Amino acid sequence: MTPTVRTRIAPSPTGAPHVGTAYMALFNLAFARKHGGQMVLRIEDTDRQRSSPQSEQAILDALQWLGIEWDEGPDCGGNHGPYRQSERLEFHQAEVNRLVNQGDAYLCFCTTERLEQVRKEQMANKETPRYDGHCLNLSTEEIEKKKEQGDPYVVRMKVPTEGECVFTDELRGEVRIDWKQIDHQVIQKSDGYPTYHLANVVDDHRMEISHVIRGEEWISSTPKHVLLYQQLGWDAPSFAHLPLLRNPDKSKLSKRKNPTGIFYYRDAGFLPEAMLNYLGMMGYTLPDQREIFSLDELSESFEIKRMSLGGPIFDLAKLKWLNGRYLREKLDSDEVVNRLVDWKANKEKFAQVLELALPRLETFSDFFPLAHHMFEECPIYSTEDLIGKQEAQFVTRLLKIAEWELEKIKDWKRDALAELFQHMAKVEEMKLKDLLRPFFFAISGSAVSLPLFDSVALLGPDLSRVRLRNALHKLSETGASLSKKGLKSLEKEYRSAYGNRID
Ligand code: GLU
């Protein structure tokens, strides 16, 4: 009997749900379904500082909105739980101990300063920065003494000094990577938490994952994983590294050049099934070359070897074209009406917007002209209006700082937003009204509109952030964009004036 196919997606709950996560989830699901197997959703939350329960919930909600289903996960349970890494620490700890006792891993007491020094020297000698093995041969006595002194330590894996790691990638065939290029990876941090590499291997093994299908950015980590499987005496799963989504200029898909948040597409009025179809279309061509297909149709015909290896370009115009076809060809008119109502043409949404608009209304005809920006993807306005009497460069600076400041907001509510802009006005020594002027244009397309903070709160983080980015993009077309150097110095200035946090 062939073993059951089990795939997984393992997102880290450290930010807004990303289209790249949906892309990986889609192909993991298609593969599992094709082979009558299961897909697991595991939350990789070992980065304590950056992980949050809100982000975890948002990831689940975003995938559910898209129609991606998992068989086991933190919300629905299963036989291989718990499904959050932070609840599996005893499993990780046991294997770290085993590796240390076997002599396959070792304690490292090097200070950050020493590591930085080594890194600098290696860079100066044009060597790949990696750990120099300083603590590799500490004696038991030395280790005990340092532990007694309470010196902090991490645990590192021992990596062969000679030869190469060879593994098979389902898409690329044999991959060979020199062990010399592989760092003595930290597998347990000084706070006792495992790192991604260790936790990922232990959990994939214990969850009986048969196929690891993930982004190609992990290829260079796979030798570490292959080695850990060997050292722990376990069979490694099959690996397939999928090409990453790209911006039109072929760079890795980034929010600077494309909206990357799944909720952006929901809030801007895209259909989830069109979005899923588009994600599928980017990596895969059905045997009959059909462009419109459902998740079921993709799953039925799915063969991982047919995945394209070229970096798929995320093309917003093409997604919109496909979405239009769905509206016209896949839904009947009743269904379109229902979907539109569910989206924003409903009582709840109108009530929220009306609360802001009512003081400014004489007749109902005033409502939509005043509130159009609450129902569109991005308002239209001229760059001259955006700049007004200020310098384009200065407006760029304000928008950029607001973008960074908004990253700090965990709870996207009116009062927090008001506080943020008031604080900005204070630091910039500007009247609030003057400071807000370009933001009115960026968010609502006009200087006279609904109250700004309420609009931003209601629009939500995804649409609002993209509107600021669009405004920055408009300004860059006037030549007011920041050079790399300009951006660095603004960042420095920003850190000292606004506190040290840029996420
Ligand atoms: N937690 C990793 C991520 O956020 C998972 C990578 C993997 O699939 O191994 O992408």
Side-chain angles (χ1 to χ4, degrees), residues 29-31 33-35 284 286-287 290 294-303:
L29 181 56
F31 185 79
R33 286 216 176 143
K34 163 79 187 196
H35 296 280
Y284 195 73
L286 261 60
R290 184 165 22 137
S294 66
L295 173 58
D296 284 347
E297 288 165 329
L298 172 68
S299 305
E300 261 162 47
S301 87
F302 191 64
E303 275 176 60

Side-chain angles (χ1 to χ4, degrees), residues 450-470:
L450 303 182
L452 184 69
F453 309 141
D454 298 271
S455 295
V456 175
L458 266 188
L459 282 168
D462 291 79
L463 280 183
S464 306
R465 288 197 177 113
V466 172
R467 287 186 190 188
L468 293 194
R469 250 168 252 141
N470 285 344

